[in-house]
């Protein structure tokens, strides 16, 4: 049987070329679609990352702490200067400029020199306000110097300059303070003068504790808060002994030596415990 050669029709080349062109066009379209999807996915991922980053920045806090026997001074974004005593901390929003008001949270003992922003005391803008959270007490201030001590479930605010309002967290009580006044909160707000307080609240900035009529127990409490020891006074009657004068508080050895002489006790250390035993 003889094979017969088949000749392509005259339109075959044209049709084949058209099919090839169509196939190439469809492939290019698919590539464009895939590329668009890839770019869109990358853009969405980038936007999500940015959104998460902004959310974290808006909600996160900066926390600064001090160890036992350490002090630290920091400057806030508004140029207010905060000094932290030993075993203390301060927190504030990382996105400081995004907040409706200046606001910090403190624990331990801090001294605040708040920068005054307002020029017209009668018309105060929200961003000119400064609020301090200390335990269950709120302190609102425009520009002043004051000391806050939040220890042993009690908050004490001592005002040296300016004018501030202190109130309970639930705002059931509020007191306007003037320079030379101290307000304590231990369930209720109580106000007294610096003379009645029996101590100089900011003496720790110079490494001292100036006392007048404070008991040995109160001084020991301050020592424990500052240096992290537990002090056992074996003769409990000595706890009520009143002490006057200036005690150098920048060295644990100096404080213990002072207590040893004032209370007539010997000192023994066992780990983080210190025993005061009558001679």
């Amino acid at each position: 049987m003889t094979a017969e050669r088949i000749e392509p029709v005259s339109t075959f080349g044209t049709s084949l070329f058209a099919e090839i062109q169509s196939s190439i066009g469809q492939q290019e379209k698919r590539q464009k679609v895939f590329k668009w999807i890839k770019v869109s996915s990358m853009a969405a991922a980038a936007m999500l990352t940015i959104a998460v980053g902004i959310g974290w920045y808006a909600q996160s806090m900066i926390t600064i702490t001090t160890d036992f026997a350490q002090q630290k001074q920091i400057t806030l974004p508004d140029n207010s200067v905060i000094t932290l005593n030993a075993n203390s901390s301060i927190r504030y929003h990382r996105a400081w400029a995004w907040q409706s008001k200046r606001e910090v949270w403190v624990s331990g003992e801090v001294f605040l020199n708040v920068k005054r922003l307002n020029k017209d005391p009668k018309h105060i803008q929200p961003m000119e306000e400064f609020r301090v959270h200390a335990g269950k007490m709120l302190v609102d201030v425009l520009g002043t110097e004051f000391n806050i001590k939040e220890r042993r479930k009690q908050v004490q605010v001592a005002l040296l300059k300016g004018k501030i309002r202190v109130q309970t967290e639930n705002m059931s009580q509020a007191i306007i303070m003037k320079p030379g006044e101290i307000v304590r909160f231990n369930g209720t707000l109580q106000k007294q003068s610096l003379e009645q307080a029996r101590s100089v609240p900011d003496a720790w900035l110079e490494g001292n504790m100036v006392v007048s009529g404070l008991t040995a127990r109160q001084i020991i409490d301050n020592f424990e808060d500052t240096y992290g020891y537990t002090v056992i006074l074996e003769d409990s009657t000595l706890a009520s002994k009143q002490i006057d004068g200036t005690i150098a508080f920048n060295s644990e050895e100096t404080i213990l030596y002072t207590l040893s002489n004032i209370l007539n006790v010997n000192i023994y250390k066992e780990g983080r415990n210190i025993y005061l035993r009558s001679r």
Side-chain angles (χ1 to χ4, degrees):
M1 186 176 181
T2 304
E4 183 179 355
R5 182 174 180 176
I6 300 175
E7 296 289 340
V9 296
S10 59
T11 59
F12 175 77
T14 303
S15 299
L16 179 61
F17 181 76
E19 289 180 10
I20 293 173
Q21 287 287 89
S22 175
S23 176
I24 293 174
Q26 291 175 3
Q27 185 176 1
E28 288 179 348
K29 287 180 180 179
R30 284 195 295 270
Q31 289 177 345
K32 287 180 180 180
V33 170
F34 292 150
K35 185 177 181 180
W36 180 84
I37 292 174
K38 183 177 180 181
V39 170
S40 298
S41 299
M42 291 175 64
M47 291 298 293
L48 179 61
T49 301
I50 292 172
V52 170
I54 291 174
W56 170 84
Y57 183 77
Q59 298 297 323
S60 67
M61 306 285 283
I62 292 175
T63 302
I64 297 170
T65 62
T66 52
D67 294 329
F68 289 113
Q70 180 190 32
Q71 292 183 6
K72 189 178 295 184
Q73 187 177 88
I74 67 165
T75 301
L76 295 177
D78 67 338
N79 289 322
S80 294
V81 178
I82 314 296
T83 306
L84 285 75
N85 202 354
N87 185 29
S88 303
S89 71
I90 183 171
R91 294 187 300 122
Y92 58 93
H93 288 285
R94 192 179 302 275
W96 178 273
W98 296 4
Q99 307 306 311
S100 60
K101 68 170 63 177
R102 299 177 291 170
E103 205 164 15
V104 299
W105 287 257
V106 303
S107 66
E109 186 167 19
V110 299
F111 185 85
L112 299 96
N113 188 341
V114 177
K115 183 176 179 61
R116 189 183 185 95
L117 297 182
N118 71 301
K119 297 180 180 180
D120 183 0
K122 295 182 179 179
H123 300 89
I124 302 166
Q125 302 302 315
M127 271 302 295
E128 296 171 346
E129 298 176 3
F130 193 106
R131 170 167 286 184
V132 182
H133 299 256
K136 294 185 177 181
M137 184 185 285
L138 302 177
V139 181
D140 291 304
V141 58
L142 296 177
T144 189
E145 293 182 5
F146 60 104
N147 195 79
I148 293 184
K149 187 175 184 179
E150 189 264 319
R151 305 269 199 204
R152 300 174 183 267
K153 299 181 180 180
Q154 178 175 283
V155 183
Q156 173 184 290
V157 180
L159 179 61
L160 280 73
K161 293 181 182 180
K163 183 178 178 181
I164 60 178
R165 179 182 68 232
V166 297
Q167 57 189 331
T168 54
E169 198 173 40
N170 60 9
M171 300 186 182
S172 61
Q173 287 181 281
I175 292 177
I176 302 296
M177 293 182 63
K178 298 177 182 178
E181 292 181 336
I182 284 181
V183 169
R184 289 189 174 92
F185 176 76
N186 189 7
T188 59
L189 295 178
Q190 298 175 339
K191 182 168 67 172
Q192 63 179 175
S193 67
L194 287 176
E195 288 77 12
Q196 295 172 312
R198 298 182 177 179
S199 65
V200 178
D202 61 335
W204 62 270
L205 294 171
E206 302 296 330
N208 295 317
M209 184 177 185
V210 181
V211 299
S212 175
L214 284 190
T215 64
R217 183 69 257 175
Q218 289 172 307
I219 294 172
I220 289 171
D221 287 346
N222 275 279
F223 174 80
E224 290 180 335
D225 292 338
T226 302
Y227 291 97
Y229 289 98
T230 298
V231 178
I232 297 94
L233 188 57
E234 295 192 344
D235 183 355
S236 59
T237 63
L238 295 176
S240 59
K241 182 179 178 65
Q242 293 188 335
I243 299 173
D244 297 323
T246 301
I247 301 174
F249 235 74
N250 55 1
S251 161
E252 62 183 76
E253 290 79 10
T254 301
I255 303 166
L256 292 174
Y257 177 78
T258 301
L259 287 173
S260 173
N261 285 297
I262 292 174
L263 301 178
N264 194 29
V265 296
N266 290 321
I267 298 172
Y268 301 90
K269 280 187 179 182
E270 292 182 7
R272 300 302 295 178
N273 293 332
I274 295 177
Y275 297 86
L276 305 184
R277 294 171 180 166
S278 299
R279 293 172 182 166

